[in-house]
Structures are given as C-alpha cells and as structure tokens.
Amino acid sequence: MDKLNLKSLTTETRNENTMDIDQVSTMEMVKKINDEDKKVALAVEKELPQIAGAIDGIVERMKKGGRLIYIGAGTSGRLGILDASECPPTYGVSEELVQGIIAGGQEAIFRAKEGAEDSKELAIEDLKSKNLNKNDTVVGLAASGRTPYVIGGLEYANSIGALTVSITCNANSNVAKTAKIAISPVVGPEVVTGSTRLKSGTAQKLVLNMLSTGSMIKLGKVYGNLMVDVQSTNEKLVERAKKIVSEATGVDTETAAIYLKETNSNVKLAIFMILSKLSMLDAKTVLDKNDGYIAKALMDVK
C-alpha cells in the first residue's frame, strides 16, 4: 500500500466544478457547494444492498449479545462516536450496545491527532480493550479507504470471527477489501480538494444513520415510525413521550400521562397496555416474549 499515492484516490482529486470557488460571489459559492452535496444521496443509493445486508448481520449478532463498534480516525472517527452516542437517549439502549472508537483516544475527538491513524497495532489494542468477540460487528470508517488504523482493526476483527463492515468513499480500497461487507459511496472530488469532512463526511453520516436506525427498528425499538424506547431524561423528552403514546394509541395526552406514570415512563409498555388492554404485568410478559416488538406482540393478543 503506497501511503503517498493520493492521485489514485477520487477523494483527493481536484473538482473541476469548483476551481474558481475562491473568486465567485457568496451566493455562487454556496450554490456550488449545494450542487455537489446533491450528489451524495445518489451515491449512497447505489450501496443500499450492502447497507441492508450489514443491518441484517448486525441485528443477528446483537440478538446473541453482540455489539456494534465503529472505528475510524479524524472526521470518520468523530462521526462514528456521534452516531453511537445518540443511540442510548433515542432508543433506550445501553451505552455498551453501540460504541465509537477514534484513533488517538478521547483527546482526538476535540483535537486533530492525525498521526494516530497510521498504526494498525493501536487499533488492535483498542479493540482488545473492548473484549471484542465473534458476536460483535466492527464498522471501519475511512473516507480514503487506506487508513492503516482502520485496516488493522478490521483484520483483527476478522481473525476472531466478528462481522466486519467498511464505509469508504473510494472504489476498490484496501479498507473495503478487508471488510466482509463493503459500503463504498463514491461521491467524487470534494468542493475543497481533499477536505473529506464535506461530501465524504456527509455520505458516511447518511450510512451510519441507516445502520443504527435500521438495527434499532429491527430490534423493536420503533412502532410504526415512532421511537417507543425513548428515555424521558429532560422536560422536552417527557412531553415527547406523552405525544408518542398519544399518537400510537389515539388517547389524549392526559391519559397518556397516566399510563406513563403507572409504567415509570416506559413508553413502549404504556402503548402496549393501551392497545392490548392487558394489565401491566401481562403486557410486560407478552412484550418480553416478543423481544419488545409491539407489532408482533399485538398479533399474540388478537
């Protein structure tokens, strides 16, 4: 792998549409950026089969006690941490279920430590510290597709039988070749040459959104399109919980509040009690039997 051969990377080539971006009006500048951003979703669309396959693999392993672990360096690593950190409040899962690891550790979240990305060994140490096992899924994030830290992490994950997934923005990259499932939205040259926090970062964020959201949906964390395991950790979320129960069941917010009080703010249980007309204990039993999946549990009581 030639670390210096940037010319072969689409993410590092110059964008012919933005050669004069430093000389145009502000309105023309933002239009050029917006025009390039429009290409991102279309690039991600081409990767939907791989994304769906990754979600199914993640969920299969989560049901066996596995975790979803993102690894990356720089912007990619930060995006993984962002996605992981938003799963507990949104879906009521433990902080262990979805995790993000960045090359260089916690300090690298706030300050660039780009040299940390060059060590395969560092990634192995980081994953070993998490007691990685075969039921886990490791998602390697690297816009360039050549980051040694990510390759090392994926190689180690492969060696112990974990599922490996890559998210890169160059075709046929070394990172993609190392993963069992390769997701490679090729978004083309960046607006500012090599600034992969732009289109590449947006593409990675879109894919991460799908991986975590799709996994949570298939784990029963969503009923219809409502997040039914949301944690009421602040005033806004308390009101959201009432609204979710009301929308899912048709009761008014006052009635929703009564059920939420009875269930100790368990949105899912409140919804199922109302829809099934079961007592709290019976409702919990049926829900548990159906792995917390409301739609499946309702079929059990009809």
Side-chain angles (χ1 to χ4, degrees), residues 101-168:
I101 303 174
I102 186 171
Q106 186 169 354
E107 184 184 345
I109 300 172
F110 307 100
R111 292 184 179 88
K113 292 182 68 174
E114 305 301 344
E117 74 175 47
D118 293 328
S119 172
K120 285 187 175 185
E121 292 72 25
L122 184 60
I124 295 170
E125 290 174 15
D126 287 343
L127 288 174
K128 282 185 175 179
S129 74
K130 299 289 185 182
N131 296 314
L132 192 75
N133 66 76
K134 66 180 182 179
N135 289 326
D136 293 327
T137 300
V138 175
V139 177
L141 292 146
S144 68
R146 55 151 297 279
T147 309
Y149 177 85
V150 175
I151 293 172
L154 292 174
E155 288 175 343
Y156 174 67
N158 283 333
S159 74
I160 66 167
L163 175 64
T164 52
V165 179
S166 65
I167 305 176
T168 67

Side-chain angles (χ1 to χ4, degrees), residues 109-235:
I109 300 172
F110 307 100
R111 292 184 179 88
K113 292 182 68 174
E114 305 301 344
E117 74 175 47
D118 293 328
S119 172
K120 285 187 175 185
E121 292 72 25
L122 184 60
I124 295 170
E125 290 174 15
D126 287 343
L127 288 174
K128 282 185 175 179
S129 74
K130 299 289 185 182
N131 296 314
L132 192 75
N133 66 76
K134 66 180 182 179
N135 289 326
D136 293 327
T137 300
V138 175
V139 177
L141 292 146
S144 68
R146 55 151 297 279
T147 309
Y149 177 85
V150 175
I151 293 172
L154 292 174
E155 288 175 343
Y156 174 67
N158 283 333
S159 74
I160 66 167
L163 175 64
T164 52
V165 179
S166 65
I167 305 176
T168 67
C169 294
N170 282 306
N172 303 312
S173 68
N174 287 313
V175 167
K177 290 173 184 175
T178 308
K180 292 172 184 172
I181 299 176
I183 301 169
S184 304
V186 179
V187 297
E190 296 289 359
V191 168
V192 175
T193 307
S195 182
T196 52
R197 72 185 188 91
L198 299 174
K199 289 194 295 184
S200 295
T202 301
Q204 289 178 310
K205 181 67 168 70
L206 289 177
V207 175
L208 288 168
N209 285 348
M210 290 190 205
L211 292 183
S212 57
T213 303
S215 296
M216 294 301 112
I217 290 171
K218 294 187 78 70
L219 287 174
K221 303 292 181 182
V222 173
Y223 175 59
N225 61 357
L226 300 169
M227 44 181 157
V228 292
D229 273 323
V230 65
Q231 300 296 290
S232 302
T233 53
N234 60 40
E235 190 174 334

Side-chain angles (χ1 to χ4, degrees), residues 235-291:
E235 190 174 334
K236 179 189 78 173
L237 293 176
V238 168
E239 292 306 310
R240 179 179 287 171
K242 294 178 189 175
K243 186 170 182 287
I244 289 171
V245 173
S246 178
E247 290 188 348
T249 63
V251 303
D252 56 37
T253 53
E254 289 77 14
T255 303
I258 293 170
Y259 277 90
L260 284 168
K261 184 176 181 180
E262 183 180 351
T263 61
N264 195 26
S265 299
N266 187 322
V267 174
K268 177 184 287 180
L269 184 55
I271 290 171
F272 188 61
M273 283 178 64
I274 295 168
L275 294 177
S276 66
K277 297 182 173 58
L278 295 174
S279 68
M280 185 167 70
L281 183 60
D282 288 344
K284 188 176 185 309
T285 300
V286 177
L287 265 180
D288 288 345
K289 176 186 170 187
N290 288 278
D291 299 320

